[in-house]
Amino acid sequence: MELETPRTFRDRPINITDTGHRKWIYARQPKGIWYTRRTIVAWIAISFLVLAPFVKINGNPLMLFDVANRKFSIFGQMIWAQDSYLMALIMGVTVVFIVLFTVIYGRLWCGWACPQTLFLEMVYRRIEYLFEGNYRGSKKNHKVTSQNFLRKMAKHAVFILISILITNIFLNWIIGPERLWAIISEPIQMHLFGFFVMLGISIFYYWIYAFFREQVCTMICPYGRLQGVLLDSKSVAVIYDYKRGEPRGPKSTGDCIDCHQCISVCPTGIDIKNGSQLECINCTACIDECNIVMEKINRPKNLIRFDSVYGLETGKRSVLNARTYAYSGVLAILIVFLGIAIFERKPIDTTILRVSGSIYQRVDSVNYSNLYLLKIINKTQTDKRINLKLITPGSGTIQLTTGQTLLKTQGILESVVIVNLNKKDLTGKSTPIEVGIYEGNTLLQQYHTNFLGPDRK
Ligand code: SF4
Ligand code: SF4
């Protein structure tokens, strides 16, 4: 369909002028049911971001991504770098989840859950409305007067404070509240590096939210750039019903009166009437605004709505259909699968490897021994007093050479162990054996390896 609007939106980002300069977007605050829903979702999400590192499950934080120490806690389950299969599984499931979720629901994440949008739209923009009024595009707010200057200074002072707070939220997720508190409470010279990291991140957040803003979504975010390949005609998105709306104009027969209200609330400054665009973060502000207009002019609501291009063109129900249910089912299965893999993990991680270059030793006329290097990682929040038993063959013995049996919380125990077997238990040059790692009588993990002996032939 040939639209009559200027085509410049196809030639360059909407927030760049034809001379290549930044065009500031001054979005009006939307109001309506979608904005209310989004506000509720946003505050739940922000509360989660703030509280998750403080909530403890079995002594582990609900969420921690300690990249430096390669220690991650997901819903209270500690995951170490050694859990490589789990890390690979999490990454694989995450990629599949992102692709499927985007194919079905489009950029719902961007408008409703992405921290960039949450903080920009629900925190910084609201502070801006508070200090400078709802519509900063008005000439009044741009006039250089002492009152406007003071307003701007006050706004930026609050922006800086909020940026420091967000830095603390971020660092709680990365290093945990205890280490962050140490940086904050102890003398600065003890944590000079930590202090400068905090300062740097705070300045970065301030710059992002006060100045760079929507350009993160429209120019930098890799997820945003992927939309072109992930979305198809059945993906759900915020779209303008051109069948109903066109021909547009105050005196035209279409429902759109071309009032530009939908553009005035758009945080990325685009005109959704031009069709799906990379800059649209599916925030729904234009739905609310257009619904207000529709109500005023006595036309049916949802000229702009959540729908798919396919649904719009065919008139078929397309938001919740068989495909959505099927893909959502796959997503649910993936999450359950990942949940089981995380929660079914062993509390310890053991490796038993034969000492490099060693074969077997003859102890006496009937017994042989092998030397192994034992390494046990305690993934729990409690110390463990461990003991080793040879499960198969039951008549053999296993012994820690260091005599140390205390495995500290989240610590590592390393020792050489000696396994003794009677020659009647040997099945050949290499005999499979099974080692049990116990805490008291509780079996924590079984480990399979091989015992070398003389050839029986
Ligand atoms: S708010 Fe609705 S009526 Fe006004 S221009 Fe946008 S789509 Fe058309
Ligand atoms: S076009 Fe509508 S949904 Fe998309 S970003 Fe703008 S206001 Fe939000």
Side-chain angles (χ1 to χ4, degrees):
M1 196 203 68
E2 201 54 44
L3 296 176
E4 289 170 12
T5 46
R7 314 294 294 190
T8 47
F9 72 95
R10 293 280 181 231
D11 303 334
R12 61 171 185 271
I14 201 79
N15 45 9
I16 292 181
T17 65
D18 51 0
T19 52
H21 291 98
R22 168 87 181 272
K23 198 165 108 189
W24 282 83
I25 311 288
Y26 297 117
R28 253 187 330 121
Q29 186 172 26
K31 54 175 187 271
I33 184 71
W34 285 103
Y35 191 57
T36 308
R37 286 174 187 160
R38 204 151 56 94
T39 305
I40 294 167
V41 172
W43 284 108
I44 292 172
I46 290 174
S47 306
F48 178 76
L49 286 174
V50 173
L51 298 175
F54 292 97
V55 177
K56 298 269 162 119
I57 298 177
N58 298 329
N60 295 325
L62 187 66
M63 287 291 175
L64 178 75
F65 291 90
D66 188 348
V67 181
N69 293 309
R70 292 177 293 163
K71 232 167 60 179
F72 308 91
S73 177
I74 299 176
F75 295 109
Q77 294 297 308
M78 218 66 192
I79 296 170
W80 295 68
Q82 287 84 351
D83 294 316
S84 46
Y85 79 96
L86 204 54
M87 297 300 283
L89 189 67
I90 290 172
M91 281 182 214
V93 168
T94 308
V95 170
V96 176
F97 188 92
I98 289 172
V99 171
L100 282 188
F101 186 88
T102 312
V103 169
I104 313 166
Y105 300 107
R107 287 183 85 168
L108 210 58
W109 161 264
C110 302
W112 291 66
C114 172
Q116 161 71 14
T117 311
L118 291 179
F119 287 117
L120 179 58
E121 297 307 320
M122 294 296 158
V123 180
Y124 286 84
R125 195 97 65 183
R126 285 182 174 215
I127 290 166
E128 195 161 76
Y129 294 143
L130 206 66
F131 282 97
E132 300 191 78
N134 193 352
Y135 192 45
R136 296 185 60 231
S138 69
K139 278 185 184 161
K140 193 177 124 215
N141 286 331
H142 284 298
K143 272 188 187 163
V144 185
T145 64
S146 54
Q147 207 185 9
N148 280 347
F149 178 76
L150 283 176
R151 262 198 241 155
K152 275 190 196 299
M153 287 300 103
K155 179 190 82 172
H156 281 282
V158 179
F159 276 5
I160 290 168
L161 280 178
I162 302 282
S163 303
I164 294 169
L165 277 177
I166 294 176
T167 301
N168 284 277
I169 294 171
F170 170 73
L171 288 176
N172 271 336
W173 277 65
I174 301 298
I175 60 174
E178 294 81 11
R179 277 166 63 202
L180 179 63
W181 180 243
I183 295 176
I184 295 170
S185 59
E186 289 171 5
I188 199 166
Q189 55 272 27
M190 284 176 70
H191 300 282
L192 264 186
F193 178 73
F195 172 76
F196 282 111
V197 168
M198 285 178 78
L199 188 66
I201 298 175
S202 301
I203 293 170
F204 175 72
Y205 278 138
Y206 171 62
W207 173 72
I208 286 281
Y209 290 116
F211 303 103
F212 201 67
R213 303 197 143 195
E214 80 290 341
Q215 293 179 104
V216 172
C217 312
T218 59
M219 292 186 196
I220 290 184
C221 175
Y223 180 59
R225 322 305 294 178
L226 275 177
Q227 300 305 308
V229 286
L230 293 179
L231 300 186
D232 64 18
S233 63
K234 287 186 179 171
S235 303
V236 176
V238 172
I239 51 178
Y240 161 70
D241 186 345
Y242 62 85
K243 285 188 165 176
R244 241 185 78 187
E246 302 297 315
R248 73 180 84 144
K251 291 190 180 123
S252 293
T253 50
D255 279 355
C256 174
I257 55 169
D258 211 12
C259 60
H260 290 202
Q261 294 305 302
C262 47
I263 307 172
S264 72
V265 288
C266 179
T268 58
I270 59 167
D271 184 352
I272 192 67
K273 301 190 295 302
N274 289 328
S276 289
Q277 289 148 78
L278 185 147
E279 294 91 339
C280 176
I281 56 167
N282 277 216
C283 72
T284 64
C286 54
I287 300 182
D288 275 335
E289 205 57 25
C290 186
N291 280 344
I292 293 172
V293 176
M294 290 298 112
E295 225 166 38
K296 279 186 189 153
I297 62 171
N298 234 351
R299 304 261 167 88
K301 285 183 177 180
N302 296 326
L303 178 61
I304 303 173
R305 60 175 178 271
F306 265 124
D307 207 332
S308 67
V309 173
Y310 172 81
L312 195 66
E313 282 172 356
T314 60
K316 287 187 182 157
R317 183 169 172 260
S318 67
V319 175
L320 293 175
N321 53 29
R323 187 181 94 133
T324 329
Y325 290 130
Y327 279 25
S328 302
V330 175
L331 290 181
I333 291 167
L334 282 177
I335 292 170
V336 171
F337 182 59
L338 188 60
I340 291 171
I342 291 175
F343 284 92
E344 284 294 297
R345 263 175 350 119
K346 299 266 182 300
I348 58 168
D349 191 40
T350 307
T351 46
I352 303 175
L353 301 173
R354 187 170 302 99
V355 171
S356 168
S358 73
I359 46 169
Y360 63 88
Q361 294 83 43
R362 188 176 173 149
V363 180
D364 53 40
S365 57
V366 288
N367 288 306
Y368 292 90
S369 69
N370 274 195
L371 290 179
Y372 298 88
L373 279 176
L374 166 81
K375 184 175 176 185
I376 310 176
I377 299 169
N378 183 357
K379 299 174 187 171
T380 69
Q381 290 290 335
T382 52
D383 292 350
K384 294 194 181 300
R385 183 70 65 180
I386 57 121
N387 58 81
L388 305 180
K389 285 179 198 161
L390 209 56
I391 299 174
T392 316
S395 57
T397 61
I398 184 165
Q399 188 192 341
L400 284 163
T401 55
T402 55
Q404 192 203 334
T405 55
L406 182 65
L407 180 53
K408 287 207 166 280
T409 168
Q410 301 195 16
I412 298 174
L413 187 151
E414 286 179 290
S415 171
V416 172
V417 292
I418 305 171
V419 174
N420 277 305
L421 287 192
N422 190 296
K423 70 176 177 188
K424 73 176 166 41
D425 292 322
L426 303 181
T427 55
K429 268 183 161 176
S430 175
T431 304
I433 61 169
E434 194 182 356
V435 179
I437 298 96
Y438 290 83
E439 184 186 23
N441 288 324
T442 310
L443 178 64
L444 300 175
Q445 196 178 3
Q446 285 164 265
Y447 195 91
H448 295 266
T449 183
N450 287 307
F451 184 95
L452 295 186
D455 197 348
R456 300 185 73 201
K457 283 180 222 163

